[in-house]
């Protein structure tokens, strides 16, 4: 079995996965959303301190599996440097004390492998990754052959939901709350621009839309539920129209046989519905990770770790480093 640790942002999580059967034997995650909500976003140092409390608590529950462990895996990039550090330190300590090899896992590959928890992988596959930190389209041929074919030029899809929520005083994380408000709102009231509509590039941008929403919020009564709902509905409509316009363009050039949406923001129901329709039109098979594995978790890290273990892809304890940003998968 492999013990895997995830601490790239505001979720402390540990999993135990069976290397031969791919079974997820144990999985626990402690989220810090409540603690960060008062600040309207994740405060890195607070997140790091909360990992220091949560990770050892979860680890205690895993002790019975220690004799069966063959490796320790940990997310080392990308993510918040101070929070990644907590997971990596715990992984190093376990690797040393239990005399087990160490596996460094890329968090984005983790999101991709959230599709394959307790399942065989499907490759090649085209993936839309939408999270708090990323908005990308990736072409994956195998675990070690992945190419980013489109990414955001500024902010990410999930982060724009968080900012809109913050501007409306609705707390963190913004995705679920904005989605719920949008259900009650009039999506015709504000005419927000769909980003990069005239730009032929397949790329994303959310800073302009965020600014347009900010200006509109200045004209409404922020305490009025109807006004808030209308802003959320019009923002969500434009944010998703942008993803859809670029994804349609990609499909019209070459529609993939298999397509997936992963990452915390892939839980968005309106996005899922729109992509389901697009995939049906092109006879593309749409793959979704189950809702419980969309946001950050160690189960997905454990799933990648199984593949890396089989490939003997280990890292020396003094060579593992943390990286907050990654341009590509190499
Ligand atoms: O993957 P994740 O848990 O963390 C990162 O790796 O960033 O994604 C969290 C992000 C947050 O920005 C959150 O607001 C967004 O995913 N999110 C959503 C929804 N649920 C979560 N965004 C839009 N609609 C949702 N339903
Ligand atoms: Zn993530």
């Amino acid at each position: 079995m492999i013990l895997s640790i995830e601490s790239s942002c505001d979720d402390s999580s540990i999993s135990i996965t069976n290397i031969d059967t791919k079974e997820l034997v144990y999985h626990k995650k402690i989220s810090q959303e409540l603690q960060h909500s008062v600040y309207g976003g994740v405060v890195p140092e607070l997140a790091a301190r909360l990992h220091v409390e949560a990770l050892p608590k979860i680890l205690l529950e895993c002790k019975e599996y220690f004799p069966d462990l063959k490796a320790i895996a940990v997310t080392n990039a990308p993510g918040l440097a101070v929070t990644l550090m907590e997971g990596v330190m715990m992984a190093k300590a376990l690797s040393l004390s239990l005399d087990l090899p160490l596996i460094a896992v890329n968090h984005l590959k983790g999101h991709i492998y959230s599709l394959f928890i307790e399942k065989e992988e499907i490759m090649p596959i085209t993936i839309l990754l939408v999270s708090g930190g990323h908005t990308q389209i990736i072409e994956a041929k195998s675990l070690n052959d992945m190419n980013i074919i489109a990414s955001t030029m500024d902010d990410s899809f999930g982060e724009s939901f968080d900012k809109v929520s913050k501007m409306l005083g609705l707390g963190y994380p913004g995705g679920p709350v904005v989605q719920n408000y949008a259900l009650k709102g009039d999506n015709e009231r504000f005419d927000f621009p769909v980003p990069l509509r005239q730009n032929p590039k397949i790329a994303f941008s959310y800073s302009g839309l965020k600014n347009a929403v900010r200006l509109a919020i200045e004209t409404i009564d922020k305490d009025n539920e109807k006004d808030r709902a209308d802003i959320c509905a019009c923002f969500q409509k434009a944010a998703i129209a942008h993803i859809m316009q670029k994804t349609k363009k990609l499909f019209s050039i070459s529609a993939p046989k298999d397509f997936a949406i992963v990452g915390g923001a892939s839980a968005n129901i309106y996005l899922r519905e729109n992509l389901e329709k697009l995939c049906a039109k092109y006879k593309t098979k749409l793959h979704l990770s189950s809702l419980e594995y969309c946001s950050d978790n160690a189960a997905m890290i454990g799933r990648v770790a199984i593949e890396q273990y089989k490939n003997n892809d280990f890292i020396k304890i003094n060579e593992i480093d943390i990286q907050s940003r990654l341009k590509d998968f190499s």
Side-chain angles (χ1 to χ4, degrees), residues 22 113 116-117 119 121 299-307:
K22 302 185 174 66
Y113 273 71
F116 313 133
I117 290 171
K119 279 190 262 185
E121 64 182 37
M300 65 188 197
I301 304 304
R303 182 63 188 83
V304 178
I306 292 172
E307 301 302 318

Side-chain angles (χ1 to χ4, degrees), residues 6 8-9 107-108 111 129 131-134 263-264 294-297 300:
E6 157 66 36
S8 66
C9 191
H107 181 77
L108 304 183
H111 275 302
L129 167 65
S131 68
H134 294 84
C294 283
S295 56
D296 294 348
N297 65 81
M300 65 188 197

